[in-house]
PDB file of all heavy atoms in Angstrom:
ATOM      1  N   VAL A1401     -89.978  17.855  -5.740  1.00 98.00           N
ATOM      2  CA  VAL A1401     -89.888  16.470  -6.194  1.00 98.00           C
ATOM      3  C   VAL A1401     -89.102  16.377  -7.496  1.00 98.00           C
ATOM      4  O   VAL A1401     -88.350  15.421  -7.703  1.00 98.00           O
ATOM      5  CB  VAL A1401     -91.292  15.859  -6.325  1.00 98.00           C
ATOM      6  CG1 VAL A1401     -91.218  14.426  -6.845  1.00 98.00           C
ATOM      7  CG2 VAL A1401     -92.011  15.889  -4.975  1.00 98.00           C
ATOM      8  N   ILE A1402     -89.236  17.355  -8.374  1.00 98.00           N
ATOM      9  CA  ILE A1402     -88.409  17.362  -9.582  1.00 98.00           C
ATOM     10  C   ILE A1402     -86.934  17.365  -9.201  1.00 98.00           C
ATOM     11  O   ILE A1402     -86.127  16.608  -9.766  1.00 98.00           O
ATOM     12  CB  ILE A1402     -88.741  18.585 -10.465  1.00 98.00           C
ATOM     13  CG1 ILE A1402     -90.119  18.409 -11.122  1.00 98.00           C
ATOM     14  CG2 ILE A1402     -87.664  18.785 -11.540  1.00 98.00           C
ATOM     15  CD1 ILE A1402     -90.592  19.622 -11.891  1.00 98.00           C
ATOM     16  N   ARG A1403     -86.552  18.179  -8.232  1.00 98.00           N
ATOM     17  CA  ARG A1403     -85.141  18.232  -7.831  1.00 98.00           C
ATOM     18  C   ARG A1403     -84.709  16.959  -7.107  1.00 98.00           C
ATOM     19  O   ARG A1403     -83.531  16.580  -7.177  1.00 98.00           O
ATOM     20  CB  ARG A1403     -84.906  19.466  -6.955  1.00 98.00           C
ATOM     21  CG  ARG A1403     -85.069  20.769  -7.713  1.00 98.00           C
ATOM     22  CD  ARG A1403     -84.680  21.952  -6.863  1.00 98.00           C
ATOM     23  NE  ARG A1403     -84.933  23.227  -7.550  1.00 98.00           N
ATOM     24  CZ  ARG A1403     -84.541  24.408  -7.099  1.00 98.00           C
ATOM     25  NH1 ARG A1403     -83.877  24.488  -5.940  1.00 98.00           N
ATOM     26  NH2 ARG A1403     -84.811  25.514  -7.770  1.00 98.00           N
ATOM     27  N   GLN A1404     -85.634  16.288  -6.436  1.00 98.00           N
ATOM     28  CA  GLN A1404     -85.304  15.021  -5.792  1.00 98.00           C
ATOM     29  C   GLN A1404     -85.132  13.907  -6.823  1.00 98.00           C
ATOM     30  O   GLN A1404     -84.167  13.140  -6.775  1.00 98.00           O
ATOM     31  CB  GLN A1404     -86.413  14.637  -4.806  1.00 98.00           C
ATOM     32  CG  GLN A1404     -86.498  15.499  -3.563  1.00 98.00           C
ATOM     33  CD  GLN A1404     -87.756  15.216  -2.748  1.00 98.00           C
ATOM     34  OE1 GLN A1404     -88.734  14.661  -3.262  1.00 98.00           O
ATOM     35  NE2 GLN A1404     -87.744  15.609  -1.476  1.00 98.00           N
ATOM     36  N   VAL A1405     -86.063  13.806  -7.760  1.00 98.00           N
ATOM     37  CA  VAL A1405     -86.084  12.709  -8.726  1.00 98.00           C
ATOM     38  C   VAL A1405     -85.136  12.952  -9.893  1.00 98.00           C
ATOM     39  O   VAL A1405     -84.559  12.030 -10.451  1.00 98.00           O
ATOM     40  CB  VAL A1405     -87.529  12.493  -9.233  1.00 98.00           C
ATOM     41  CG1 VAL A1405     -87.588  11.467 -10.359  1.00 98.00           C
ATOM     42  CG2 VAL A1405     -88.434  12.075  -8.082  1.00 98.00           C
ATOM     43  N   ARG A1406     -84.992  14.227 -10.301  1.00 98.00           N
ATOM     44  CA  ARG A1406     -84.132  14.639 -11.410  1.00 98.00           C
ATOM     45  C   ARG A1406     -84.504  13.914 -12.709  1.00 98.00           C
ATOM     46  O   ARG A1406     -83.673  13.268 -13.354  1.00 98.00           O
ATOM     47  CB  ARG A1406     -82.658  14.438 -11.047  1.00 98.00           C
ATOM     48  CG  ARG A1406     -82.275  15.181  -9.763  1.00 98.00           C
ATOM     49  CD  ARG A1406     -80.879  14.874  -9.285  1.00 98.00           C
ATOM     50  NE  ARG A1406     -79.869  15.621  -9.996  1.00 98.00           N
ATOM     51  CZ  ARG A1406     -79.560  16.899  -9.763  1.00 98.00           C
ATOM     52  NH1 ARG A1406     -80.213  17.589  -8.844  1.00 98.00           N
ATOM     53  NH2 ARG A1406     -78.612  17.490 -10.445  1.00 98.00           N
ATOM     54  N   PRO A1407     -85.768  14.062 -13.133  1.00 98.00           N
ATOM     55  CA  PRO A1407     -86.241  13.345 -14.326  1.00 98.00           C
ATOM     56  C   PRO A1407     -85.774  14.000 -15.627  1.00 98.00           C
ATOM     57  O   PRO A1407     -85.581  15.211 -15.705  1.00 98.00           O
ATOM     58  CB  PRO A1407     -87.756  13.441 -14.196  1.00 98.00           C
ATOM     59  CG  PRO A1407     -87.972  14.760 -13.504  1.00 98.00           C
ATOM     60  CD  PRO A1407     -86.830  14.873 -12.522  1.00 98.00           C
ATOM     61  N   ASP A1408     -85.636  13.174 -16.643  1.00 98.00           N
ATOM     62  CA  ASP A1408     -85.410  13.682 -17.999  1.00 98.00           C
ATOM     63  C   ASP A1408     -86.733  14.116 -18.625  1.00 98.00           C
ATOM     64  O   ASP A1408     -86.784  15.061 -19.412  1.00 98.00           O
ATOM     65  CB  ASP A1408     -84.770  12.590 -18.864  1.00 98.00           C
ATOM     66  CG  ASP A1408     -83.513  12.038 -18.227  1.00 98.00           C
ATOM     67  OD1 ASP A1408     -82.539  12.801 -18.083  1.00 98.00           O
ATOM     68  OD2 ASP A1408     -83.519  10.853 -17.843  1.00 98.00           O
ATOM     69  N   LEU A1409     -87.808  13.399 -18.260  1.00 98.00           N
ATOM     70  CA  LEU A1409     -89.135  13.617 -18.830  1.00 98.00           C
ATOM     71  C   LEU A1409     -90.158  13.753 -17.721  1.00 98.00           C
ATOM     72  O   LEU A1409     -90.140  12.971 -16.760  1.00 98.00           O
ATOM     73  CB  LEU A1409     -89.508  12.429 -19.732  1.00 98.00           C
ATOM     74  CG  LEU A1409     -90.953  12.335 -20.243  1.00 98.00           C
ATOM     75  CD1 LEU A1409     -91.261  13.472 -21.209  1.00 98.00           C
ATOM     76  CD2 LEU A1409     -91.201  10.980 -20.899  1.00 98.00           C
ATOM     77  N   VAL A1410     -91.054  14.728 -17.845  1.00 98.00           N
ATOM     78  CA  VAL A1410     -92.211  14.854 -16.965  1.00 98.00           C
ATOM     79  C   VAL A1410     -93.464  14.634 -17.800  1.00 98.00           C
ATOM     80  O   VAL A1410     -93.599  15.188 -18.894  1.00 98.00           O
ATOM     81  CB  VAL A1410     -92.262  16.232 -16.274  1.00 98.00           C
ATOM     82  CG1 VAL A1410     -93.645  16.500 -15.665  1.00 98.00           C
ATOM     83  CG2 VAL A1410     -91.189  16.330 -15.190  1.00 98.00           C
ATOM     84  N   ILE A1411     -94.377  13.820 -17.285  1.00 99.00           N
ATOM     85  CA  ILE A1411     -95.688  13.616 -17.899  1.00 99.00           C
ATOM     86  C   ILE A1411     -96.727  14.219 -16.959  1.00 99.00           C
ATOM     87  O   ILE A1411     -96.728  13.927 -15.763  1.00 99.00           O
ATOM     88  CB  ILE A1411     -95.985  12.122 -18.122  1.00 99.00           C
ATOM     89  CG1 ILE A1411     -94.925  11.486 -19.029  1.00 99.00           C
ATOM     90  CG2 ILE A1411     -97.377  11.930 -18.720  1.00 99.00           C
ATOM     91  CD1 ILE A1411     -95.068   9.976 -19.188  1.00 99.00           C
ATOM     92  N   THR A1412     -97.614  15.055 -17.502  1.00 98.00           N
ATOM     93  CA  THR A1412     -98.623  15.693 -16.659  1.00 98.00           C
ATOM     94  C   THR A1412     -99.854  16.054 -17.495  1.00 98.00           C
ATOM     95  O   THR A1412     -99.907  15.793 -18.700  1.00 98.00           O
ATOM     96  CB  THR A1412     -98.044  16.929 -15.948  1.00 98.00           C
ATOM     97  OG1 THR A1412     -98.947  17.372 -14.928  1.00 98.00           O
ATOM     98  CG2 THR A1412     -97.764  18.070 -16.924  1.00 98.00           C
ATOM     99  N   HIS A1413    -100.834  16.658 -16.838  1.00 98.00           N
ATOM    100  CA  HIS A1413    -102.074  17.050 -17.507  1.00 98.00           C
ATOM    101  C   HIS A1413    -101.860  18.256 -18.427  1.00 98.00           C
ATOM    102  O   HIS A1413    -101.048  19.144 -18.129  1.00 98.00           O
ATOM    103  CB  HIS A1413    -103.126  17.464 -16.479  1.00 98.00           C
ATOM    104  CG  HIS A1413    -103.471  16.414 -15.480  1.00 98.00           C
ATOM    105  ND1 HIS A1413    -104.269  15.340 -15.775  1.00 98.00           N
ATOM    106  CD2 HIS A1413    -103.144  16.295 -14.161  1.00 98.00           C
ATOM    107  CE1 HIS A1413    -104.424  14.599 -14.679  1.00 98.00           C
ATOM    108  NE2 HIS A1413    -103.756  15.151 -13.697  1.00 98.00           N
ATOM    109  N   HIS A1414    -102.657  18.312 -19.485  1.00 98.00           N
ATOM    110  CA  HIS A1414    -102.708  19.521 -20.302  1.00 98.00           C
ATOM    111  C   HIS A1414    -103.411  20.613 -19.497  1.00 98.00           C
ATOM    112  O   HIS A1414    -104.469  20.370 -18.914  1.00 98.00           O
ATOM    113  CB  HIS A1414    -103.473  19.258 -21.595  1.00 98.00           C
ATOM    114  CG  HIS A1414    -103.122  20.212 -22.691  1.00 98.00           C
ATOM    115  ND1 HIS A1414    -103.386  21.563 -22.616  1.00 98.00           N
ATOM    116  CD2 HIS A1414    -102.502  20.011 -23.885  1.00 98.00           C
ATOM    117  CE1 HIS A1414    -102.962  22.157 -23.720  1.00 98.00           C
ATOM    118  NE2 HIS A1414    -102.422  21.234 -24.503  1.00 98.00           N
ATOM    119  N   PRO A1415    -102.850  21.820 -19.435  1.00 97.00           N
ATOM    120  CA  PRO A1415    -103.459  22.866 -18.606  1.00 97.00           C
ATOM    121  C   PRO A1415    -104.634  23.588 -19.259  1.00 97.00           C
ATOM    122  O   PRO A1415    -105.310  24.382 -18.595  1.00 97.00           O
ATOM    123  CB  PRO A1415    -102.300  23.845 -18.375  1.00 97.00           C
ATOM    124  CG  PRO A1415    -101.463  23.703 -19.611  1.00 97.00           C
ATOM    125  CD  PRO A1415    -101.550  22.247 -19.984  1.00 97.00           C
ATOM    126  N   ASP A1416    -104.897  23.318 -20.528  1.00 97.00           N
ATOM    127  CA  ASP A1416    -105.972  24.009 -21.239  1.00 97.00           C
ATOM    128  C   ASP A1416    -107.226  23.140 -21.283  1.00 97.00           C
ATOM    129  O   ASP A1416    -107.159  21.908 -21.305  1.00 97.00           O
ATOM    130  CB  ASP A1416    -105.558  24.340 -22.669  1.00 97.00           C
ATOM    131  CG  ASP A1416    -104.390  25.313 -22.728  1.00 97.00           C
ATOM    132  OD1 ASP A1416    -104.165  26.022 -21.725  1.00 97.00           O
ATOM    133  OD2 ASP A1416    -103.699  25.339 -23.761  1.00 97.00           O
ATOM    134  N   ARG A1417    -108.375  23.783 -21.331  1.00 95.00           N
ATOM    135  CA  ARG A1417    -109.633  23.051 -21.426  1.00 95.00           C
ATOM    136  C   ARG A1417    -109.757  22.395 -22.799  1.00 95.00           C
ATOM    137  O   ARG A1417    -109.455  23.017 -23.823  1.00 95.00           O
ATOM    138  CB  ARG A1417    -110.810  24.006 -21.197  1.00 95.00           C
ATOM    139  CG  ARG A1417    -112.152  23.286 -21.040  1.00 95.00           C
ATOM    140  CD  ARG A1417    -113.284  24.262 -20.832  1.00 95.00           C
ATOM    141  NE  ARG A1417    -113.117  25.074 -19.623  1.00 95.00           N
ATOM    142  CZ  ARG A1417    -113.464  24.673 -18.394  1.00 95.00           C
ATOM    143  NH1 ARG A1417    -113.966  23.458 -18.216  1.00 95.00           N
ATOM    144  NH2 ARG A1417    -113.303  25.471 -17.368  1.00 95.00           N
ATOM    145  N   ASN A1418    -110.167  21.140 -22.792  1.00 95.00           N
ATOM    146  CA  ASN A1418    -110.389  20.391 -24.021  1.00 95.00           C
ATOM    147  C   ASN A1418    -111.867  20.507 -24.378  1.00 95.00           C
ATOM    148  O   ASN A1418    -112.726  19.937 -23.711  1.00 95.00           O
ATOM    149  CB  ASN A1418    -109.990  18.919 -23.825  1.00 95.00           C
ATOM    150  CG  ASN A1418    -110.091  18.105 -25.088  1.00 95.00           C
ATOM    151  OD1 ASN A1418    -110.845  18.433 -26.001  1.00 95.00           O
ATOM    152  ND2 ASN A1418    -109.338  17.023 -25.149  1.00 95.00           N
ATOM    153  N   TYR A1419    -112.168  21.233 -25.437  1.00 93.00           N
ATOM    154  CA  TYR A1419    -113.559  21.450 -25.821  1.00 93.00           C
ATOM    155  C   TYR A1419    -114.123  20.313 -26.667  1.00 93.00           C
ATOM    156  O   TYR A1419    -115.314  20.298 -26.966  1.00 93.00           O
ATOM    157  CB  TYR A1419    -113.694  22.775 -26.560  1.00 93.00           C
ATOM    158  CG  TYR A1419    -113.494  23.970 -25.648  1.00 93.00           C
ATOM    159  CD1 TYR A1419    -112.295  24.662 -25.634  1.00 93.00           C
ATOM    160  CD2 TYR A1419    -114.512  24.386 -24.783  1.00 93.00           C
ATOM    161  CE1 TYR A1419    -112.106  25.752 -24.785  1.00 93.00           C
ATOM    162  CE2 TYR A1419    -114.331  25.472 -23.935  1.00 93.00           C
ATOM    163  CZ  TYR A1419    -113.123  26.150 -23.941  1.00 93.00           C
ATOM    164  OH  TYR A1419    -112.939  27.216 -23.102  1.00 93.00           O
ATOM    165  N   HIS A1420    -113.284  19.353 -27.038  1.00 92.00           N
ATOM    166  CA  HIS A1420    -113.758  18.194 -27.779  1.00 92.00           C
ATOM    167  C   HIS A1420    -114.185  17.068 -26.842  1.00 92.00           C
ATOM    168  O   HIS A1420    -114.995  16.226 -27.198  1.00 92.00           O
ATOM    169  CB  HIS A1420    -112.672  17.683 -28.736  1.00 92.00           C
ATOM    170  CG  HIS A1420    -112.238  18.684 -29.749  1.00 92.00           C
ATOM    171  ND1 HIS A1420    -113.048  19.098 -30.774  1.00 92.00           N
ATOM    172  CD2 HIS A1420    -111.071  19.379 -29.878  1.00 92.00           C
ATOM    173  CE1 HIS A1420    -112.409  19.999 -31.513  1.00 92.00           C
ATOM    174  NE2 HIS A1420    -111.215  20.190 -30.980  1.00 92.00           N
ATOM    175  N   ASN A1421    -113.596  17.048 -25.643  1.00 90.00           N
ATOM    176  CA  ASN A1421    -113.875  16.004 -24.658  1.00 90.00           C
ATOM    177  C   ASN A1421    -113.640  16.615 -23.281  1.00 90.00           C
ATOM    178  O   ASN A1421    -112.507  16.844 -22.876  1.00 90.00           O
ATOM    179  CB  ASN A1421    -112.958  14.798 -24.884  1.00 90.00           C
ATOM    180  CG  ASN A1421    -113.189  13.692 -23.877  1.00 90.00           C
ATOM    181  OD1 ASN A1421    -114.184  13.679 -23.150  1.00 90.00           O
ATOM    182  ND2 ASN A1421    -112.253  12.758 -23.813  1.00 90.00           N
ATOM    183  N   VAL A1422    -114.708  16.878 -22.560  1.00 92.00           N
ATOM    184  CA  VAL A1422    -114.595  17.653 -21.321  1.00 92.00           C
ATOM    185  C   VAL A1422    -113.964  16.858 -20.181  1.00 92.00           C
ATOM    186  O   VAL A1422    -113.403  17.438 -19.247  1.00 92.00           O
ATOM    187  CB  VAL A1422    -115.978  18.193 -20.898  1.00 92.00           C
ATOM    188  CG1 VAL A1422    -116.859  17.073 -20.357  1.00 92.00           C
ATOM    189  CG2 VAL A1422    -115.846  19.316 -19.877  1.00 92.00           C
ATOM    190  N   ALA A1423    -114.010  15.522 -20.243  1.00 88.00           N
ATOM    191  CA  ALA A1423    -113.572  14.711 -19.109  1.00 88.00           C
ATOM    192  C   ALA A1423    -112.137  15.003 -18.643  1.00 88.00           C
ATOM    193  O   ALA A1423    -111.877  15.046 -17.439  1.00 88.00           O
ATOM    194  CB  ALA A1423    -113.732  13.226 -19.434  1.00 88.00           C
ATOM    195  N   PRO A1424    -111.175  15.209 -19.567  1.00 91.00           N
ATOM    196  CA  PRO A1424    -109.819  15.472 -19.086  1.00 91.00           C
ATOM    197  C   PRO A1424    -109.630  16.865 -18.482  1.00 91.00           C
ATOM    198  O   PRO A1424    -108.554  17.159 -17.951  1.00 91.00           O
ATOM    199  CB  PRO A1424    -108.955  15.337 -20.352  1.00 91.00           C
ATOM    200  CG  PRO A1424    -109.802  14.629 -21.344  1.00 91.00           C
ATOM    201  CD  PRO A1424    -111.210  15.035 -21.026  1.00 91.00           C
ATOM    202  N   SER A1425    -110.657  17.719 -18.549  1.00 93.00           N
ATOM    203  CA  SER A1425    -110.498  19.122 -18.188  1.00 93.00           C
ATOM    204  C   SER A1425    -111.010  19.446 -16.794  1.00 93.00           C
ATOM    205  O   SER A1425    -111.410  20.569 -16.510  1.00 93.00           O
ATOM    206  CB  SER A1425    -111.209  20.011 -19.222  1.00 93.00           C
ATOM    207  OG  SER A1425    -110.653  19.842 -20.498  1.00 93.00           O
ATOM    208  N   HIS A1426    -111.014  18.463 -15.908  1.00 96.00           N
ATOM    209  CA  HIS A1426    -111.345  18.706 -14.505  1.00 96.00           C
ATOM    210  C   HIS A1426    -110.498  19.880 -14.000  1.00 96.00           C
ATOM    211  O   HIS A1426    -109.320  19.996 -14.356  1.00 96.00           O
ATOM    212  CB  HIS A1426    -111.030  17.437 -13.702  1.00 96.00           C
ATOM    213  CG  HIS A1426    -111.482  17.460 -12.274  1.00 96.00           C
ATOM    214  ND1 HIS A1426    -110.927  18.293 -11.330  1.00 96.00           N
ATOM    215  CD2 HIS A1426    -112.431  16.731 -11.624  1.00 96.00           C
ATOM    216  CE1 HIS A1426    -111.500  18.076 -10.165  1.00 96.00           C
ATOM    217  NE2 HIS A1426    -112.423  17.142 -10.308  1.00 96.00           N
ATOM    218  N   PRO A1427    -111.065  20.781 -13.200  1.00 97.00           N
ATOM    219  CA  PRO A1427    -110.280  21.927 -12.720  1.00 97.00           C
ATOM    220  C   PRO A1427    -108.980  21.530 -12.035  1.00 97.00           C
ATOM    221  O   PRO A1427    -107.957  22.213 -12.187  1.00 97.00           O
ATOM    222  CB  PRO A1427    -111.243  22.622 -11.751  1.00 97.00           C
ATOM    223  CG  PRO A1427    -112.593  22.257 -12.231  1.00 97.00           C
ATOM    224  CD  PRO A1427    -112.486  20.858 -12.764  1.00 97.00           C
ATOM    225  N   ASP A1428    -109.005  20.437 -11.270  1.00 97.00           N
ATOM    226  CA  ASP A1428    -107.768  19.974 -10.630  1.00 97.00           C
ATOM    227  C   ASP A1428    -106.724  19.597 -11.672  1.00 97.00           C
ATOM    228  O   ASP A1428    -105.523  19.855 -11.496  1.00 97.00           O
ATOM    229  CB  ASP A1428    -108.042  18.761  -9.744  1.00 97.00           C
ATOM    230  CG  ASP A1428    -108.769  19.089  -8.458  1.00 97.00           C
ATOM    231  OD1 ASP A1428    -108.992  20.283  -8.179  1.00 97.00           O
ATOM    232  OD2 ASP A1428    -109.115  18.145  -7.719  1.00 97.00           O
ATOM    233  N   HIS A1429    -107.156  18.962 -12.757  1.00 98.00           N
ATOM    234  CA  HIS A1429    -106.212  18.565 -13.808  1.00 98.00           C
ATOM    235  C   HIS A1429    -105.522  19.797 -14.391  1.00 98.00           C
ATOM    236  O   HIS A1429    -104.290  19.832 -14.552  1.00 98.00           O
ATOM    237  CB  HIS A1429    -106.936  17.830 -14.938  1.00 98.00           C
ATOM    238  CG  HIS A1429    -107.511  16.516 -14.549  1.00 98.00           C
ATOM    239  ND1 HIS A1429    -108.155  15.695 -15.457  1.00 98.00           N
ATOM    240  CD2 HIS A1429    -107.575  15.869 -13.360  1.00 98.00           C
ATOM    241  CE1 HIS A1429    -108.575  14.598 -14.843  1.00 98.00           C
ATOM    242  NE2 HIS A1429    -108.240  14.688 -13.566  1.00 98.00           N
ATOM    243  N   ARG A1430    -106.340  20.794 -14.723  1.00 98.00           N
ATOM    244  CA  ARG A1430    -105.766  21.993 -15.355  1.00 98.00           C
ATOM    245  C   ARG A1430    -104.848  22.742 -14.394  1.00 98.00           C
ATOM    246  O   ARG A1430    -103.788  23.254 -14.797  1.00 98.00           O
ATOM    247  CB  ARG A1430    -106.897  22.892 -15.860  1.00 98.00           C
ATOM    248  CG  ARG A1430    -107.627  22.275 -17.065  1.00 98.00           C
ATOM    249  CD  ARG A1430    -108.716  23.175 -17.620  1.00 98.00           C
ATOM    250  NE  ARG A1430    -109.923  23.138 -16.809  1.00 98.00           N
ATOM    251  CZ  ARG A1430    -110.471  24.183 -16.220  1.00 98.00           C
ATOM    252  NH1 ARG A1430    -109.903  25.383 -16.325  1.00 98.00           N
ATOM    253  NH2 ARG A1430    -111.577  24.066 -15.513  1.00 98.00           N
ATOM    254  N   ALA A1431    -105.221  22.783 -13.109  1.00 98.00           N
ATOM    255  CA  ALA A1431    -104.379  23.462 -12.119  1.00 98.00           C
ATOM    256  C   ALA A1431    -103.062  22.732 -11.935  1.00 98.00           C
ATOM    257  O   ALA A1431    -101.994  23.356 -11.854  1.00 98.00           O
ATOM    258  CB  ALA A1431    -105.123  23.566 -10.791  1.00 98.00           C
ATOM    259  N   VAL A1432    -103.121  21.415 -11.875  1.00 98.00           N
ATOM    260  CA  VAL A1432    -101.898  20.630 -11.692  1.00 98.00           C
ATOM    261  C   VAL A1432    -101.021  20.711 -12.934  1.00 98.00           C
ATOM    262  O   VAL A1432     -99.794  20.885 -12.829  1.00 98.00           O
ATOM    263  CB  VAL A1432    -102.244  19.169 -11.357  1.00 98.00           C
ATOM    264  CG1 VAL A1432    -101.007  18.278 -11.441  1.00 98.00           C
ATOM    265  CG2 VAL A1432    -102.854  19.085  -9.955  1.00 98.00           C
TER     266      VAL A1432
END
């Protein structure tokens, strides 16, 4: 999809666990 869309910017999840707020650290989020 990157090669199809050819974006200048990609926005995605942080891959590291957030120890201050666990909600963003769903395993799927970190894997993606």
Side-chain angles (χ1 to χ4, degrees):
V1401 178
I1402 288 174
R1403 293 186 184 188
Q1404 290 170 340
V1405 174
R1406 304 173 80 79
D1408 306 295
L1409 170 67
V1410 165
I1411 301 174
T1412 192
H1413 302 284
H1414 203 295
D1416 296 339
R1417 190 181 299 277
N1418 184 335
Y1419 290 101
H1420 300 291
N1421 179 14
V1422 73
S1425 299
H1426 188 292
D1428 287 355
H1429 294 182
R1430 290 182 282 121
V1432 169

